[in-house]
Amino acid sequence: MTVSRIPRSERRRFLKQAAAGAATVTTASLLPSVAFSANKTLTVGMNIPMTGDYAPWGLPGLYGCDIIANNINAAGGVTIGGETYDINVASYDHAYDTEKAIQGFKKLVLEDDAKMVMMLGGSTVAAVLPWGTRKKVLTTTLLPSDITPDSEFLVATCESHPLYNVTGVVWMAREFPDVKTAAIVTNNDAEYGLQSAATYKAAFEVAGIDVVDTNLHGFDVTDFAPIISSLLAKNPDVVCMATSFYVTPIMEQLYHQGYKGKIISCTLDYYEEIIAKTSEEFVNGTIYQFPDFDDPKLTESGITFPDPGGFDAAFRKDHPNDWSAVAWEYPAILLNWLENAKAAGSVESTEVMASMKGNKQEFVFGGGDWWGSQLWGLDNALVGRWPVVVIENGKARIQEYGNVAGWLADNKEVLVKHMKELGLRTV
């Protein structure tokens, strides 16, 4: 979901690839997947960063959507309202610039005839919302806090950050009842760090775990040694990185300063790199929220993503170093939209939105309830089961699927309290 999951060294590698390959990928995504198809063409848009610091949160999603579109087209397309379509994924690189985001959004809708537009979230979504809402363009975000009381056509149908973070705390508190104190370290931005810190604070409170220290730092930090030293001086049973932009350097400092307690985090993308810089023994046991898609538990009933293992293998074959959460999140959003378009018998936003709100939604990991009015003023975030992931023998493995909706039903007042304490927008 966020650039917070990418170590700086990994971003530099990714940006080199992006500069060399973004134009090729964009061009390829605009070509029909099935030669000489008699089907009509249905275009979906991706208004995402493909260059710049946020490229890792656009390009992997484009790669994943191309796999899904190619699979659908190779199987004969998708039938909606009596018409059969090939899927065309049209993309625009806004490089996480708000002016470019507006330009890209309008181009995708007006020139490419995109019937829905997928976006990353944050300031770029806020920039396009006024025009998109007036034009009734169904738009998706990976950041539910983008939702406002007036954002009727903005939905978050996959990523429910930071709500799912409660599931890791629930699992940890049950499996490790001796954990009684926690320290939080994360960036102080309102979009990711503070949202996540407030959610972890709420989850810790409900679990009876005292937060003994909270370090909310800026983006100018170059040396995490003193921050971690100060944190460890409080002797916490668990260190929580929330949704940190700096997971790798924090993990390195915890390792070098001899920390032996539990670690919990929203993300741990590129964990192989962290293991290489620390040790497998140190990283083993780290709790976070995003699975690899070759995980055996993704074959269990209730999972709506088609052939997760096959998708994982196809992605890693063509893009072996680029797997991240958005690699499957954008495809999951695309698949959800297609199911609702089929149910509506239409590709138009008003009809698809009516299907989304009028029919029971199947979340990618199972379940599915609309939520959000308690925090953001509109129930446009689809909340379902979410996996709790732990590193075991150097490999990410799902431990269970947590009940996000159930926790929210019982504890939403605690969450709202902590959001307000950190100065975050609530209704």
Side-chain angles (χ1 to χ4, degrees):
M1 179 193 78
T2 67
V3 75
S4 58
R5 299 172 189 160
I6 301 293
R8 286 183 175 180
S9 60
E10 197 61 35
R11 272 184 267 167
R12 287 193 293 269
R13 175 195 64 75
F14 199 101
L15 291 177
K16 290 179 181 178
Q17 292 183 348
T24 301
V25 171
T26 306
T27 302
S29 68
L30 297 176
L31 297 176
S33 300
V34 181
F36 310 114
S37 172
N39 296 344
K40 291 187 174 182
T41 298
L42 172 59
T43 296
V44 295
M46 298 189 73
N47 190 26
I48 55 174
M50 295 190 289
T51 56
D53 283 347
Y54 284 72
W57 300 108
L59 277 177
L62 178 57
Y63 299 152
C65 285
D66 280 340
I67 292 171
I68 294 298
N70 289 338
N71 289 345
I72 290 172
N73 296 344
V78 58
T79 299
I80 299 171
E83 299 283 358
T84 302
Y85 298 92
D86 289 333
I87 305 301
N88 170 47
V89 181
S91 59
Y92 187 93
D93 174 22
H94 62 52
Y96 212 75
D97 177 270
T98 54
E99 291 299 323
K100 289 182 179 179
I102 295 171
Q103 295 169 11
F105 193 86
K106 291 182 177 180
K107 177 187 181 298
L108 289 166
V109 174
L110 298 177
E111 297 180 23
D112 298 319
D113 194 29
K115 295 304 181 182
M116 71 96 162
V117 179
M118 291 175 275
M119 296 189 68
L120 170 59
S123 59
T124 55
V125 167
V128 307
L129 268 182
W131 189 85
T133 301
R134 287 198 305 272
K135 296 296 184 180
K136 298 182 179 181
V137 180
L138 199 158
T139 307
T140 70
T141 179
L142 295 182
L143 199 64
S145 55
D146 291 333
I147 294 167
T148 73
D150 300 320
S151 60
E152 179 185 356
F153 289 90
L154 178 70
V155 292
T157 55
C158 179
E159 173 92 39
S160 55
H161 179 273
L163 306 176
Y164 50 66
N165 286 332
V166 302
T167 64
V169 176
V170 170
W171 181 85
M172 180 185 68
R174 185 180 70 242
E175 297 295 317
F176 302 95
D178 292 339
V179 171
K180 297 298 182 183
T181 60
I184 298 173
V185 55
T186 194
N187 26 273
N188 60 4
D189 65 297
E191 293 177 342
Y192 303 118
L194 294 182
Q195 294 274 345
S196 189
T199 304
Y200 275 108
K201 281 174 172 278
F204 286 140
E205 178 179 327
V206 171
I209 297 172
D210 293 329
V211 177
V212 296
D213 195 12
T214 303
N215 186 290
L216 302 171
H217 58 77
F219 293 95
D220 55 348
V221 176
T222 58
D223 181 8
F224 280 89
I227 289 177
I228 298 305
S229 294
S230 174
L231 214 67
L232 296 186
K234 307 298 194 302
N235 196 31
D237 296 325
V238 59
V239 169
C240 172
M241 296 183 287
T243 307
S244 176
F245 279 47
Y246 303 97
V247 165
T248 297
I250 291 173
M251 290 286 282
E252 287 184 86
Q253 280 301 318
L254 290 171
Y255 172 73
H256 290 303
Q257 295 189 34
Y259 180 66
K260 302 296 184 183
K262 302 298 296 179
I263 301 172
I264 192 168
S265 179
C266 177
T267 66
L268 204 71
D269 280 346
Y270 304 100
Y271 61 82
E272 298 91 346
E273 177 185 310
I274 298 173
I275 290 173
K277 291 184 174 182
T278 58
S279 73
E280 181 179 304
E281 180 183 9
F282 172 74
V283 178
N284 280 343
T286 302
I287 304 161
Y288 68 115
Q289 304 289 170
F290 289 90
D292 291 342
F293 260 41
D294 61 355
D295 195 299
K297 286 188 75 66
L298 288 175
T299 64
E300 296 178 356
S301 62
I303 306 302
T304 63
F305 198 101
D307 188 18
F311 175 82
D312 182 273
F315 189 100
R316 295 179 191 270
K317 177 179 178 293
D318 292 335
H319 310 286
N321 300 311
D322 299 326
W323 177 267
S324 72
V326 302
W328 61 265
E329 286 182 322
Y330 288 107
I333 290 169
L334 171 58
L335 289 164
N336 174 270
W337 181 83
L338 287 172
E339 286 303 310
N340 280 285
K342 287 192 289 185
S346 171
V347 298
E348 300 304 324
S349 291
T350 53
E351 284 79 3
V352 177
M353 277 295 301
S355 173
M356 285 182 171
K357 290 307 187 73
N359 297 316
K360 176 65 177 175
Q361 298 298 292
E362 294 298 328
F363 191 66
V364 60
F365 299 119
D369 297 289
W370 290 108
W371 199 85
S373 58
Q374 298 90 334
L375 277 182
W376 309 302
L378 203 62
D379 287 328
N380 274 21
L382 185 60
V383 175
R385 300 190 310 169
W386 198 274
V388 177
V389 180
V390 175
I391 300 296
E392 295 179 339
N393 299 317
K395 179 67 175 173
R397 282 292 175 251
I398 296 172
Q399 305 299 303
E400 70 177 17
Y401 295 100
N403 183 359
V404 184
W407 190 97
L408 290 170
D410 293 338
N411 304 293
K412 59 181 178 290
E413 294 84 1
V414 181
L415 178 61
V416 170
K417 177 188 74 172
H418 284 283
M419 290 284 185
K420 288 181 176 178
E421 286 179 355
L422 290 182
L424 297 167
R425 175 178 64 89
T426 62
V427 293

